Amino acid sequence: MRIIRYLFIVNFLLLSVWGIGQNIDLFSEQNNDQNPDIITGTFKSTRVVNGQSIENVGAGVLDFRISHRFGALSQGSYNLFGLDQATMRIGLDYGLASRLTVGIGRSTYQKQYDAFLKIKLLQQQDGLKFIPFGISYVASTMYKSLKNAPTTYNPYVSDKFSFAHQLIIASKINDYLSIQFSPTLVHYNLVDSAKIPNDFKSLGISSRIRISKRVNVTSEYFYRIDKLAGYYNPLSLGIDIETGGHVFQLHVSNSTGMTERTFINETSGSWAKGDLCFGFNITRAFTIRKPKELRDVKW
Amino acid sequence: MKSIIKSFCLIVFTAISMQSNAQKVFATKTGQLFFNASGGIEKIAAVNNQVDSKFGEATGQIIFGVLIKGFKFENQLMEDHFNENYMESSQFPKADFKGYIKNIKDIDFSKDGKYPANFDGTLTIHGVAQKVTTVGQVEVIQGKPIITGEFSVKIKDFGIKGLYIGEKIANEAKIRVNCKYQN
């Protein structure tokens, strides 16, 4: 009998619970769902200045990029402080997937062709999971088609290739500050003498500081661990200006080249001697393939 | 022993019967929200396919919630600018609507058909709350409602600032909702 009484109490309790349940207040219901929050916009462009940033081109987006470098300020008034001289790189980057970008380019400097592939290995996240930084890997290959002065050695085609491997570790600390480290290995298929190694290690350090919603100041420095004699560490300072459809990057740098081999290992200018080159990058993004969410939408 | 079973059955039955009397809540996590703010030739429009929405059949209470970062644009750069410069999504990650279907009593969820629905509530975007009233539609198919609605909001009403508002970006954004609920 005691059990029956007990069951009746349970029954009443249940009844009262259901009674409350009859009018759930949706407004006061707390939504405690934790959503993954992938951090975006660590840098404003896929390049900091010369070097790759952690940013990828969006999936299905083709990014047309013109990078232009004037000559050094130290050339004096005869060359209008470097403005008479110019080198450029014209490139196309395409987002095969949201985390995979491929690109090709041609530089007038040393008549180079280059191609690269950039994969986002780890995305910085907040919310559901906390991952304080993102990691990307960039592999690039460069072909120097400039004809060498005739020597006794007739180079093979393969001799003109060099390769770069880069790991990019970046963190957007807040909306105002991002920091990036990029350990890099550049391999030359052919070097000038047997004494010179083929592989060159370096460490890149880059940053972005927000000045206003549309203006960010960037810096990029590569510390060369293995040095090629006669060259300097590249240091660049820039301003990223966002306009509607594109990002303008204006900068001063002591390097002229725009490929990993040339700007990291073969920067001949020195800040101390005033070998500063003014330059700019302009990009325009074209949507080639719409994201699948938008394919069947009628606006 | 028999009496125990009897009272146990009683509990179960009352529980079941009470449950059917309790308010039915329709919910979805995959609602669609379209947003169009094209001001000129360039299309500035996005879709969010992860709208979280619930409404109560008895009270008419209805809520919608979206993550700002969940909006997908055709152009990645536009999406970045939307988040960083306009919506400031790291500061205001969500937008929501809390309100009522005023004429919920006129909608028969047991009968298939299309019913006009009057929505009245508060829309919070970019941390700013504004009253919104609009007419939409509730369509019932086999007991499952689909809510569709369209309304416009003035972007500047929500404290969203930017150079291009009023030029490339329209002053008013059209918002269209399409949610299929489960019960």
Side-chain angles (χ1 to χ4, degrees):
Chain A
M1 277 314 279
R2 205 177 259 178
I3 296 169
I4 295 170
R5 207 176 291 161
Y6 171 73
L7 280 172
F8 266 108
I9 292 166
V10 174
N11 195 352
F12 278 117
L13 277 175
L14 269 175
L15 274 174
S16 54
V17 167
W18 288 120
I20 291 165
Q22 204 157 4
N23 274 320
I24 309 161
D25 184 13
L26 291 178
F27 297 166
S28 58
E29 228 179 44
Q30 283 294 316
N31 185 0
N32 290 323
D33 289 2
Q34 276 275 39
N35 297 292
D37 180 10
I38 291 165
I39 305 295
T40 56
T42 306
F43 282 86
K44 299 297 158 184
S45 186
T46 55
R47 307 298 197 288
V48 180
V49 172
N50 290 311
Q52 298 275 0
S53 78
I54 195 146
E55 297 302 322
N56 279 33
V57 177
V61 174
L62 182 73
D63 200 28
F64 176 59
R65 173 175 286 270
I66 295 174
S67 314
H68 195 108
R69 304 290 181 268
F70 289 103
L73 201 67
S74 55
Q75 285 172 347
S77 60
Y78 181 65
N79 278 324
L80 198 64
F81 304 98
L83 292 184
D84 282 356
Q85 196 194 44
T87 68
M88 64 169 287
R89 178 184 178 273
I90 189 161
L92 287 172
D93 296 356
Y94 181 68
L96 278 177
S98 63
R99 294 170 77 157
L100 175 64
T101 298
V102 290
I104 48 166
R106 156 80 177 187
S107 302
T108 59
Y109 185 65
Q110 298 182 343
K111 297 191 180 297
Q112 292 176 91
Y113 291 98
D114 67 86
F116 76 89
L117 175 152
K118 176 150 71 172
I119 305 170
K120 224 175 234 183
L121 301 172
L122 183 74
Q123 286 176 306
Q124 188 181 350
Q125 281 187 36
D126 211 348
L128 192 64
K129 264 193 255 172
F130 177 67
I131 303 171
F133 53 83
I135 301 175
S136 286
Y137 167 70
V138 183
S140 66
T141 170
M142 290 143 272
Y143 178 75
K144 179 180 169 181
S145 71
L146 186 73
K147 283 178 184 144
N148 288 354
T151 51
T152 48
Y153 176 72
N154 193 18
Y156 293 101
V157 170
S158 62
D159 290 342
K160 295 184 166 186
F161 275 98
S162 50
F163 304 91
H165 300 274
Q166 207 164 37
L167 211 55
I168 298 177
I169 304 152
S171 180
K172 185 182 190 179
I173 293 166
N174 54 40
D175 280 353
Y176 294 90
L177 179 66
S178 300
I179 288 180
Q180 176 179 296
F181 294 96
S182 33
T184 307
L185 178 77
V186 175
H187 173 85
Y188 287 68
N189 270 4
L190 180 73
V191 284
D192 287 346
S193 82
K195 281 179 200 154
I196 302 169
N198 287 74
D199 295 332
F200 293 83
K201 292 186 284 294
S202 57
L203 176 67
I205 303 158
S206 310
S207 70
R208 173 194 65 88
I209 298 165
R210 181 163 121 171
I211 302 267
S212 79
K213 270 189 186 176
R214 298 184 169 274
V215 181
N216 286 273
V217 170
T218 54
S219 72
E220 181 181 85
Y221 177 73
F222 276 81
Y223 174 75
R224 294 172 304 149
I225 296 161
D226 304 311
K227 289 176 181 142
L228 208 53
Y231 295 107
Y232 297 89
N233 288 344
L235 170 66
S236 313
L237 300 175
I239 300 174
D240 287 6
I241 302 167
E242 292 176 60
T243 66
H246 28 207
V247 179
F248 275 114
Q249 298 183 295
L250 307 171
H251 35 79
V252 282
S253 173
N254 58 335
S255 46
T256 313
M258 283 162 270
T259 55
E260 278 76 10
R261 175 178 66 83
T262 52
F263 83 84
I264 300 172
N265 298 294
E266 298 172 26
T267 288
S268 53
S270 151
W271 273 74
K273 291 176 189 160
D275 302 331
L276 303 179
C277 308
F278 173 68
F280 57 84
N281 300 342
I282 304 171
T283 66
R284 176 78 213 187
F286 300 95
T287 303
I288 302 296
R289 195 161 46 86
K290 283 188 193 177
K292 62 178 184 297
E293 293 91 337
L294 292 161
R295 256 167 238 167
D296 308 316
V297 177
K298 286 187 190 74
W299 295 101
Chain B
M1 197 57 202
K2 237 180 198 170
S3 55
I4 296 174
I5 294 169
K6 238 184 228 170
S7 59
F8 183 75
C9 288
L10 190 67
I11 290 174
V12 172
F13 281 122
T14 23
I16 290 169
S17 58
M18 286 314 289
Q19 190 179 23
S20 59
N21 280 343
Q23 173 179 235
K24 212 179 223 177
V25 172
F26 295 101
T28 179
K29 280 187 185 293
T30 55
Q32 280 188 307
L33 199 149
F34 302 91
F35 137 83
N36 191 344
S38 311
I41 31 169
E42 200 166 23
K43 187 160 80 191
I44 298 164
V47 61
N48 191 319
N49 289 331
Q50 283 148 352
V51 179
D52 194 352
S53 177
K54 275 181 186 171
F55 74 94
E57 192 187 350
T59 57
Q61 278 185 332
I62 184 159
I63 53 170
F64 292 95
V66 285
L67 285 175
I68 302 302
K69 277 195 181 171
F71 280 98
K72 197 79 205 148
F73 286 75
E74 275 183 24
N75 186 329
Q76 177 72 43
L77 200 61
M78 214 181 261
E79 195 174 306
D80 291 346
H81 291 172
F82 171 77
N83 279 299
E84 294 261 329
N85 299 340
Y86 294 93
M87 302 300 285
E88 299 177 283
S89 62
S90 58
Q91 218 180 324
F92 309 106
K94 279 182 178 176
D96 63 34
F97 175 86
K98 287 179 179 177
Y100 290 91
I101 306 174
K102 297 295 255 185
N103 58 335
I104 191 91
K105 297 279 178 268
D106 304 338
I107 302 165
D108 185 355
F109 290 94
S110 60
K111 213 173 116 193
D112 285 10
K114 290 179 179 174
Y115 306 89
N118 301 320
F119 298 92
D120 187 359
T122 310
L123 180 67
T124 309
I125 304 173
H126 193 249
V128 179
Q130 294 283 348
K131 288 260 175 247
V132 169
T133 325
T134 185
V135 181
Q137 182 187 270
V138 177
E139 188 180 359
V140 179
I141 299 171
Q142 290 167 346
K144 288 179 183 172
I146 300 168
I147 289 185
T148 48
E150 202 174 328
F151 61 98
S152 291
V153 291
K154 283 207 177 77
I155 294 171
K156 284 186 177 165
D157 284 355
F158 293 91
I160 299 162
K161 289 181 207 118
L163 277 176
Y164 297 103
I165 298 170
E167 291 170 41
K168 283 181 188 172
I169 303 168
N171 281 317
E172 287 202 358
K174 274 187 213 126
I175 295 171
R176 189 157 52 111
V177 182
N178 184 2
C179 289
K180 289 189 178 84
Y181 294 85
Q182 301 295 319
N183 42 4

